Amino acid sequence: MIALVRPDGEGDDRTRSFAAAMRHGSARARGGALPSVASLHELLDLPAPRWSASAIDELLRDAHERTPPVMKAALAAVAIRGAATETDEAEVACLAALAVTLVLCVGGATTDAWITLAPAPHETSRDIFSSLAREARAAERGLADAQELFDADEQRVRESLGRAAYSALDVLRLLREQIVITVPEAARSLDQTPPTAGAAVARLVELGIAREVTGKARSRAFAYEGMVRALAP
């Protein structure tokens, strides 16, 4: 799944702050650290909360076996929105969205901060569950499309290249994992010689599976564009 908040520096300061908070928070979450209201403020570089957070912290720290992660994420978002009456609405929306992301990550529903909810004032629990369901359906469709595409491309390589298909199939599998590769990287990763990896990449380009994306004579990179389209939000 592709995060809907871009980490490349585009957008306003609030968006960049939220993207950075997602990255740092997910690193903590993967280590098992449970989020708290104070940690959410810290990650978003906001002042300490001006409202009571004890009940919300208790909910966030609830054992995963007692409350399913998706339920806990939605409840936490609703609780944060309901409690922070004296805080800027957009700020509260960011706190709630970040809480959802990290709770799902800690609870094992996702392996990283992949699901992002667009901050919007006055969201209800129904809105939050609907957003989660919409994200899940989109992810399921994207993954199914990606698998179908890879299976078709793999079969096309086998049928088109004969004995030369072996090295090309290895590069194709690497492309599926990395999306963008270079010939030296492919050679190192697959324990191939650079000429072998280069020839395999060239065959995938001829079949329209990979495309050179830099336009340079040197340090060229090749992308699996069909996979990018399949996984796009």
Side-chain angles (χ1 to χ4, degrees):
M1 208 183 313
I2 297 176
L4 302 184
V5 176
R6 298 177 59 177
D8 57 7
E10 293 193 3
D12 58 22
D13 290 340
R14 191 187 298 273
T15 301
R16 285 194 292 271
S17 174
F18 186 76
M22 277 215 312
R23 290 196 297 276
H24 298 317
S26 63
R28 294 186 192 178
R30 289 195 300 272
L34 296 174
S36 65
V37 172
S39 68
L40 297 177
H41 278 76
E42 175 196 343
L43 288 166
L44 289 168
D45 195 23
L46 297 173
R50 294 170 290 177
W51 39 279
S52 175
S54 57
I56 299 171
D57 281 341
E58 184 177 347
L59 172 64
L60 291 171
R61 294 184 174 125
D62 180 26
H64 309 315
E65 312 83 57
R66 293 172 55 195
T67 306
V70 174
M71 174 70 78
K72 190 202 294 192
L75 291 175
V78 171
I80 288 172
R81 288 178 178 277
T85 54
E86 298 179 1
T87 311
D88 177 70
E89 284 188 344
E91 180 179 304
V92 174
C94 286
L95 285 168
L98 185 60
V100 167
T101 305
L102 301 186
V103 166
L104 292 176
C105 189
V106 172
T110 65
T111 57
D112 208 332
W114 287 348
I115 294 180
T116 64
L117 304 179
H122 311 304
E123 264 189 336
T124 65
S125 57
R126 179 191 293 268
D127 297 327
I128 293 168
F129 274 118
S130 296
S131 297
L132 287 170
R134 186 167 58 252
E135 294 277 0
R137 286 194 298 270
E140 185 179 28
R141 285 195 301 270
L143 292 171
D145 290 346
Q147 184 61 53
E148 184 177 348
L149 170 72
F150 177 78
D151 290 344
D153 286 343
E154 189 176 47
Q155 185 62 32
R156 188 148 57 100
V157 168
R158 293 182 187 278
E159 293 174 351
S160 303
L161 300 181
R163 294 181 62 183
Y166 294 109
S167 59
L169 287 170
D170 287 339
V171 172
L172 177 60
R173 294 184 186 107
L174 183 65
L175 259 180
R176 178 178 63 173
E177 296 174 1
Q178 303 293 333
I179 304 298
V180 178
I181 62 172
T182 66
V183 170
E185 290 169 351
R188 286 193 297 270
S189 297
L190 300 172
D191 198 21
Q192 297 178 353
T193 65
T196 298
V201 170
R203 293 185 180 102
L204 294 181
V205 170
E206 291 174 2
L207 291 174
I209 295 172
R211 187 175 79 85
E212 205 286 317
V213 293
T214 64
K216 300 177 181 178
R218 293 185 176 183
S219 302
R220 298 190 300 166
F222 300 84
Y224 196 170
E225 287 196 318
M227 190 64 67
V228 173
R229 288 193 296 271
L231 293 173

